[in-house]
């Protein structure tokens, strides 16, 4: 595996004050991406959607990630399951989109049908086929877990861990910041096929150094002067005091707060200063330089107020495009002959609101996949 030549020391980025970023080739190489697909994405719990999308029997969603389509469906027995969205006959995709499906899913190609527990229901002309065994032709399942109101999948058939094992303490912290995590309703979704490596997008989330220069409206409410970013095991929390602002978050009372959670490897939950509101960024990496993203906005009420509608428009037209153009520009710059290959991580000694120590933590975790020990194992 060529990515095995991308070695990094064990202590890469461990001392944030002296740290430089991951080298540019980690963001542009397809070999590195393929390695991360196998070693990170196919072996980690990945957050796919909010549970409200699959709350009732027969509700399903599909998600595109890596080169896979994944089907998450709630059965008639109320159990949530996840499968590769691929027909065991000749490999056609079984179902598109999301919504409510019938009690069986029919493959569009030759009409093999499957129950929602993944077992085969029927295959046309199978009674005339020598030794055809319905039991052998079920869908390929993967692990699925509901956690803090969200649905996570894990493609590793050997996985013995839970989401809580991967992200210890996250659920309690998220529920503390937003007790309504289980009661959220999807109010808006912005889908982008972003021309940026998944780590570039995480990097952008892991610091509020850019908030002042690049998000003037956001910074008018969330105070970078009273802001901190704390690292936990495989997740982090950015907290900022907020004051009501006409150009971004407006709320009753003197102050509120923003809590932004990053979850390994590439999901973010934001409890905004507006009560009962949460935004979620789902990254679905597709290749080295393309990441499909869902930016979901949730409220607890179904009928939106005019203020909530206006806020969604602000997210769609102002705040979201600001971040998208940042990461797209960075992705191009990483190819420049004039870029020196690594950038200084601007972590200060106090971990202030503008400190970039969150990037150092993220890069130290990625680096653990690129140590000689780890790469030596993957070569065998
Ligand atoms: S590929 Fe699905 S029925 Fe043939
Ligand atoms: Fe941003």
């Amino acid at each position: 595996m060529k990515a095995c030549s991308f070695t990094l020391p064990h202590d890469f980025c461990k001392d944030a004050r002296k740290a430089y970023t991951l080298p540019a080739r980690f963001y542009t190489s397809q070999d590195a991406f393929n390695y991360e697909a196998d070693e990170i994405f196919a072996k980690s719990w990945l957050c796919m959607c909010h549970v409200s999308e699959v709350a009732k029997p027969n509700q399903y969603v599909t998600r595109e990630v890596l080169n896979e389509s994944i089907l998450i469906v709630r059965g008639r027995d109320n159990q949530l399951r996840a499968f590769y969205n691929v027909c065991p006959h000749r490999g056609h995709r079984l179902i598109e989109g999301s919504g409510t499906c019938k009690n069986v899913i029919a493959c569009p190609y030759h009409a093999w049908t499957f129950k929602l527990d993944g077992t085969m229901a029927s295959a046309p002309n199978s009674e005339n086929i020598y030794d055809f065994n319905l039991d052998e032709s079920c869908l390929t399942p993967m692990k699925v877990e509901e956690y803090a109101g969200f649905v996570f999948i894990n493609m590793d058939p050997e996985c013995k861990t839970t989401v809580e094992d991967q992200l210890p303490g996250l659920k309690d912290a998220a529920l503390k910041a937003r007790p309504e995590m289980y009661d959220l309703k999807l109010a808006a979704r912005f889908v982008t096929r972003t021309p940026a490596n998944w780590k570039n997008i995480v990097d952008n989330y892991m610091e509020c150094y850019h908030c002042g220069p690049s998000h003037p409206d956001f910074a008018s409410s969330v105070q970078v002067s009273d802001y901190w970013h704390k690292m936990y095991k495989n997740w982090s929390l950015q907290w900022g005091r907020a004051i009501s602002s006409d150009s971004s978050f407006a709320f009753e009372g003197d102050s509120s707060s923003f809590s932004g959670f990053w979850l390994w490897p590439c999901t973010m939950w934001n409890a905004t200063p507006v009560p009962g509101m949460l935004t979620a960024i789902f990254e679905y990496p597709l290749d080295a330089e393309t990441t499909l993203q869902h930016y979901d906005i949730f409220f607890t009420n179904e009928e939106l107020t005019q203020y909530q509608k206006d806020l969604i428009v602000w997210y769609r037209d102002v705040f979201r495009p600001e971040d998208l153009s940042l990461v797209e520009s960075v992705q191009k710059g990483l190819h420049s002959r004039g870029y020196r290959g690594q950038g200084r991580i601007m972590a200060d000694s106090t971990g202030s609101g503008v400190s970039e120590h969150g990037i150092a933590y993220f890069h130290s975790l990625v680096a653990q996949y690129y140590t000689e020990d780890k790469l030596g194992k993957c070569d065998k």
Side-chain angles (χ1 to χ4, degrees):
M1 190 179 292
K2 284 187 221 157
C4 293
S5 59
F6 284 46
T7 55
L8 291 170
H10 276 282
D11 60 353
F12 186 82
C13 274
K14 282 278 165 64
D15 186 346
R17 294 166 314 149
K18 299 179 182 167
Y20 285 77
T21 60
L22 290 165
R25 64 184 185 280
F26 285 76
Y27 296 84
T28 57
S29 156
Q30 191 58 34
D31 289 329
F33 180 83
N34 293 342
Y35 173 70
E36 290 167 5
D38 288 342
E39 295 299 315
I40 296 178
F41 291 100
K43 291 183 181 169
S44 298
W45 285 100
L46 306 175
C47 187
M48 290 282 114
C49 65
H50 189 257
V51 74
S52 56
E53 287 194 71
V54 281
K56 298 193 190 116
N58 294 53
Q59 283 189 318
Y60 77 97
V61 298
T62 59
R63 290 291 183 267
E64 197 185 340
V65 58
L66 310 178
N67 282 322
E68 302 287 356
S69 175
I70 288 159
L71 165 64
I72 300 166
V73 60
R74 192 172 296 278
R76 296 170 68 195
D77 55 0
N78 216 26
Q79 190 167 331
L80 195 63
R81 298 180 178 86
F83 304 99
Y84 289 92
N85 186 14
V86 61
C87 181
H89 177 217
R90 295 244 305 281
H92 199 281
R93 185 171 290 190
L94 291 167
I95 191 165
E96 303 284 346
S98 61
T100 303
C101 59
K102 300 200 174 115
N103 289 335
V104 292
I105 292 173
C107 176
Y109 199 174
H110 312 96
W112 282 21
T113 60
F114 303 90
K115 297 179 196 160
L116 305 188
D117 64 2
T119 56
M120 178 175 246
S122 66
N125 202 34
S126 58
E127 65 281 8
N128 298 317
I129 302 300
Y130 171 74
D131 208 17
F132 186 83
N133 185 343
L134 285 184
D135 294 339
E136 282 172 1
S137 302
C138 56
L139 303 185
T140 305
M142 66 181 73
K143 298 202 163 56
V144 64
E145 193 183 317
E146 295 175 49
Y147 180 89
F150 283 80
V151 177
F152 290 70
I153 57 107
N154 194 314
M155 297 183 214
D156 181 4
E158 308 297 318
C159 167
K160 301 264 186 312
T161 63
T162 63
V163 178
E164 181 67 23
D165 293 335
Q166 179 175 300
L167 303 163
L170 172 70
K171 178 158 72 173
D172 288 348
L175 283 168
K176 197 168 156 207
R178 189 93 306 159
E180 307 89 347
M181 291 290 279
Y182 293 99
D183 304 319
L184 300 171
K185 295 173 181 67
L186 184 65
R189 169 172 295 154
F190 315 133
V191 178
T192 48
R193 218 174 168 88
T194 310
N197 180 271
W198 69 276
K199 299 187 292 297
N200 172 358
I201 298 168
V202 174
D203 290 349
N204 178 59
Y205 187 83
M206 294 299 265
E207 47 88 358
C208 209
Y209 189 33
H210 75 280
C211 292
S214 299
H215 297 304
D217 289 349
F218 177 84
S220 72
S221 179
V222 177
Q223 305 293 290
V224 179
S225 56
D226 195 359
Y227 193 96
W228 48 257
H229 191 182
K230 201 165 167 196
M231 306 302 129
Y232 295 89
K233 190 175 173 201
N234 299 326
W235 60 277
S236 78
L237 170 58
Q238 300 183 57
W239 184 94
R241 186 169 306 285
I243 55 168
S244 191
S245 163
D246 288 341
S247 53
S248 56
F249 303 110
F251 45 82
E252 307 274 316
D254 291 342
S255 75
S256 180
S257 62
F258 165 86
S259 295
F261 297 88
W262 162 73
L263 292 55
W264 171 266
C266 55
T267 308
M268 300 83 167
W269 296 338
N270 301 298
T272 80
V274 175
M277 179 184 178
L278 188 109
T279 70
I281 306 170
F282 301 94
E283 286 189 42
Y284 308 112
L286 299 182
D287 62 38
E289 301 198 77
T290 317
T291 306
L292 183 66
Q293 291 190 83
H294 283 191
Y295 195 101
D296 285 3
I297 299 181
F298 302 93
F299 293 104
T300 50
N301 51 311
E302 242 153 52
E303 271 304 294
L304 298 183
T305 65
Q306 190 55 47
Y307 169 69
Q308 290 171 329
K309 288 180 191 166
D310 293 346
L311 196 55
I312 289 169
V313 169
W314 174 74
Y315 268 94
R316 187 194 66 199
D317 295 348
V318 179
F319 185 61
R320 184 64 181 147
E322 286 169 351
D323 277 321
L324 291 174
S325 68
L326 294 171
V327 298
E328 289 178 27
S329 178
V330 165
Q331 193 67 33
K332 284 189 191 138
L334 291 168
H335 288 275
S336 170
R337 291 175 187 82
Y339 184 63
R340 293 194 175 86
Q342 285 180 280
R344 186 67 199 268
I345 294 179
M346 301 294 280
D348 59 39
S349 55
T350 59
S352 75
V354 294
S355 174
E356 292 192 314
H357 54 289
I359 295 184
Y361 177 61
F362 171 52
H363 289 196
S364 74
L365 293 183
V366 172
Q368 298 316 303
Y369 289 85
Y370 286 99
T371 61
E372 267 177 16
D373 297 359
K374 177 82 179 166
L375 294 167
K377 272 187 220 144
C378 88
D379 263 341
K380 281 177 198 156

